Amino acid sequence: MGLKLPKGFVFGFSEDGFQFEMGLPGSEDPNTDWWIWVHDTENITAGIVSGDLPENGPGYWHLYRQDHDLADRLGMDGARIGIEWSRIFPKPTFDVKVSVDVDRDGNILYIDVDEKALEELDRLANRDAVNHYREMFSDWKNRGKLLIINLYHWPMPIWIHDPIKVRRLGPDRAPSGWLDSRTVIEFTKYAAYIAWKLGDLPDLWSTMNEPSVVYSMGYIDVKSGFPPGYLSFEAALKAAKHLIEAHARAYDMLKKYTKKPVGIIYATTVVEPLAPEYRDVAEQAYKMHSFEFLDAIAFGKSSFIGERKDLEKHVDYIGVNYYSRLVVAPSKTLMGWSAVPGYGFACTPAGVSAIGRPCSEFGWEIYPEGIYTVLERFWERYRLPLMVTENGIADSTDKYRSRYIVSHLANIYKAIEKGIDVRGYLHWALVDNYEWAQGFRMKFGLNYVDLETKKRYLRPSALVFREVAKNKEIVDE
């Protein structure tokens, strides 16, 4: 007897623009911070980025129908798909006037993008890109599928963030992205415009994917290969505050123009102590990693923003991205704790963890029971619907992927049985993708992609996924 998931439980895939869209002539998007970052010869020479280039990617921009056919055959009935801000507005939108309510401390309390502003934005927008996104999304929706549109998955227009100039000149003398409060305003304009133009298409909105990665990798973990690679804890906190405000102000406009549920997709992990006496340290790390940002938009209170009523109740659901755990011990770092090598995300690529668990080619320990803990803690704290919006493994030989999927789904089933409102499972990824600074080395796809021909080839794990998705049931065999 298998584990039967609810009839309405959604199976699907997640993907974004920069990692999937490019690959065929005419799909290039050179107007982003990430584009110039991965093309920068200094970054490539120093090994900060791989040297692989996104314009050689899987080509979803042109091959979306083929990928949707593939997803359909694998029993997928939902997808989270991203829009690239830089495709919609390759040129600045600063001159479009909107109403901005700011308090004496410089906090942005409300932004109203009215019809006049939307018409001005429409004149600035790349209409071809807008129409192409409509075609892509409509192709999925017309199949009777659930669609989550995500507005931001890290790349920003170069006119609002130039990471090479930030690194060379400093953030005060360059377009500094989330360090500039104007970015909150421009992001809200972009969100309002997308709601106005494409608001009939999504079932759910997501304002942004994994905002914590942006401020932590960009300004603290500067060896990660993420732009702008500018070490500053003060900058990280400023970016976090502006990302929180951007989510909330975009939420306001998405609700104004569409009334549809608006959530956020968050990078999660279960944090565990190396030894029992480190429980308090682990809980401190858990709170900082998973709760501070979400507390701000759910309760209007966190160490990032203090207490602000204008931010509370600004999230309708939470997208949960889970890959592995974090094991911590006290340290003399500013945070007071550090990840312990040999566990979770800190393992040897394609190796074995300190407790004998296999690890992905990224060096991430396979730890499926952690997803149950993450779902349980989010549910207990926020009582909001949850959707697993990313879960997958870098596994070029497909050695572990089938069991990875099934074991994580078994823990999701356990959470549902406990009364936790988990609505679906979106796998990362449908096809192999461009994995940021790592380039094409990490193979997350249920389908292998020949980057020369762009042909897709099913991996054996795709057939396991199909069996589970079509039957809504997890079986042991």
Side-chain angles (χ1 to χ4, degrees):
M1 186 70 179
L3 307 177
K4 198 73 177 174
L5 290 158
K7 185 178 179 182
F9 189 84
V10 175
F11 279 95
F13 67 94
S14 279
E15 65 180 49
D16 74 327
F18 190 81
Q19 293 178 273
F20 292 87
E21 287 177 351
M22 290 181 272
L24 292 169
S27 65
E28 301 85 358
D29 180 17
N31 300 306
T32 75
D33 53 356
W34 264 98
W35 173 279
I36 64 169
W37 183 255
V38 299
H39 284 80
D40 181 69
T41 54
E42 291 180 357
N43 282 342
I44 295 169
T45 303
I48 294 170
V49 298
S50 66
D52 294 341
L53 300 176
E55 59 265 37
N56 300 318
Y60 177 74
W61 187 255
H62 289 104
L63 302 176
Y64 63 89
R65 291 187 184 89
Q66 178 180 326
D67 282 352
H68 294 171
D69 288 343
L70 194 54
D72 201 24
R73 290 197 298 271
L74 293 179
M76 295 181 174
D77 44 22
R80 181 258 291 194
I81 307 174
I83 295 178
E84 287 299 327
W85 183 359
S86 53
R87 286 195 188 274
I88 305 301
F89 293 114
K91 295 180 181 179
T93 52
F94 294 120
D95 290 340
V96 176
K97 303 302 180 187
V98 295
S99 174
V100 182
D101 185 6
V102 183
D103 69 12
R104 68 178 73 180
D105 297 318
N107 298 318
I108 299 176
L109 306 179
Y110 190 77
I111 300 168
D112 186 40
V113 185
D114 61 19
E115 291 278 347
K116 181 182 177 183
L118 290 171
E119 289 169 0
E120 287 185 50
L121 288 167
D122 199 34
R123 288 191 285 273
L124 289 173
N126 180 345
R127 303 277 190 86
D128 289 340
V130 174
N131 293 335
H132 192 79
Y133 276 119
R134 174 167 287 281
E135 290 171 9
M136 290 164 62
F137 296 148
S138 295
D139 182 77
W140 183 248
K141 282 292 291 181
N142 290 341
R143 300 165 188 255
K145 311 292 190 180
L146 178 132
L147 175 64
I148 302 172
I149 293 181
N150 181 61
L151 298 179
Y152 171 65
H153 193 142
W154 307 346
M156 306 179 78
I158 193 67
W159 49 267
I160 212 160
H161 185 220
D162 186 330
I164 306 303
K165 287 185 178 178
V166 168
R167 184 171 65 193
R168 292 174 180 167
L169 305 175
D172 296 334
R173 299 172 62 194
S176 59
W178 294 114
L179 302 185
D180 186 344
S181 62
R182 292 185 304 170
T183 303
V184 178
I185 300 169
E186 301 313 306
F187 182 76
T188 305
K189 293 176 189 175
Y190 156 63
Y193 179 76
I194 294 299
W196 187 59
K197 294 295 284 190
L198 302 176
D200 57 308
L201 293 172
D203 298 283
L204 303 163
W205 294 105
S206 165
T207 56
M208 52 185 68
N209 175 84
E210 299 185 343
S212 61
V213 172
V214 176
Y215 61 77
S216 62
M217 297 291 202
Y219 303 98
I220 298 174
D221 185 12
V222 295
K223 294 180 180 179
S224 65
F226 278 59
Y230 182 82
L231 180 59
S232 168
F233 287 93
E234 180 184 357
L237 286 172
K238 183 182 284 188
K241 178 204 171 189
H242 290 153
L243 281 156
I244 288 166
E245 288 185 326
H247 162 83
R249 303 294 71 97
Y251 178 102
D252 293 335
M253 290 299 98
L254 292 169
K255 285 293 192 180
K256 175 179 178 178
Y257 287 108
T258 73
K259 311 295 191 230
K260 294 180 179 180
V262 180
I264 194 166
I265 294 169
Y266 208 75
T268 69
T269 184
V270 58
V271 183
E272 298 177 341
L274 180 63
E277 59 266 32
Y278 302 152
R279 281 198 190 98
D280 289 347
V281 171
E283 186 58 28
Q284 176 190 346
Y286 206 130
K287 187 173 187 292
M288 180 61 67
H289 189 281
S290 293
F291 298 147
E292 289 290 355
F293 191 103
L294 294 174
D295 279 2
I297 61 175
F299 308 133
K301 184 187 301 185
S302 89
S303 65
F304 288 170
I305 52 93
E307 191 166 350
R308 286 177 55 180
K309 291 292 185 183
D310 64 290
L311 300 174
E312 69 176 342
K313 296 181 180 178
H314 273 70
V315 59
D316 301 327
Y317 76 92
I318 298 171
V320 174
N321 292 358
Y322 175 85
Y323 291 93
S324 189
R325 65 172 170 165
L326 199 61
V327 173
V328 300
S331 71
K332 294 181 180 180
T333 63
L334 185 66
M335 306 298 289
W337 53 269
S338 294
V340 180
Y343 299 89
F345 290 104
C347 294
T348 302
V352 177
S353 74
I355 62 167
R357 296 284 186 94
C359 302
S360 75
E361 290 164 4
F362 229 138
W364 299 351
E365 180 186 27
I366 299 175
Y367 197 72
E369 56 266 49
I371 199 170
Y372 172 82
T373 304
V374 163
L375 293 168
E376 181 182 48
R377 294 206 63 177
F378 272 0
W379 177 248
E380 287 176 350
R381 193 174 187 90
Y382 301 112
R383 287 291 194 237
L384 290 169
L386 304 172
M387 172 84 76
V388 177
T389 40
E390 283 187 30
N391 180 243
I393 181 171
D395 181 16
S396 62
T397 63
D398 213 38
K399 183 178 181 181
Y400 300 118
R401 188 174 287 105
S402 294
R403 184 157 292 279
Y404 183 99
I405 292 168
V406 171
S407 60
H408 283 80
L409 282 168
N411 278 279
I412 293 168
Y413 170 85
K414 177 184 172 185
I416 293 170
E417 286 293 290
K418 289 286 186 179
I420 299 170
D421 186 5
V422 187
R423 304 286 177 89
Y425 175 87
L426 307 182
H427 191 71
W428 187 278
L430 177 64
V431 300
D432 289 336
N433 59 279
Y434 185 80
E435 192 57 32
W436 306 109
Q438 295 288 329
F440 297 113
R441 290 180 291 206
M442 301 302 162
K443 307 296 186 182
F444 280 91
L446 290 168
N447 297 270
Y448 165 76
V449 178
D450 182 328
L451 292 174
E452 292 295 323
T453 66
K454 309 305 175 189
K455 288 184 178 179
R456 279 78 162 131
Y457 299 91
L458 287 175
R459 290 190 168 105
S461 57
L463 304 179
V464 174
F465 184 98
R466 182 183 66 184
E467 191 71 16
V468 176
K470 287 197 170 184
N471 296 307
K472 308 283 187 187
E473 185 175 18
I474 309 159
V475 294
D476 292 330
E477 291 89 8

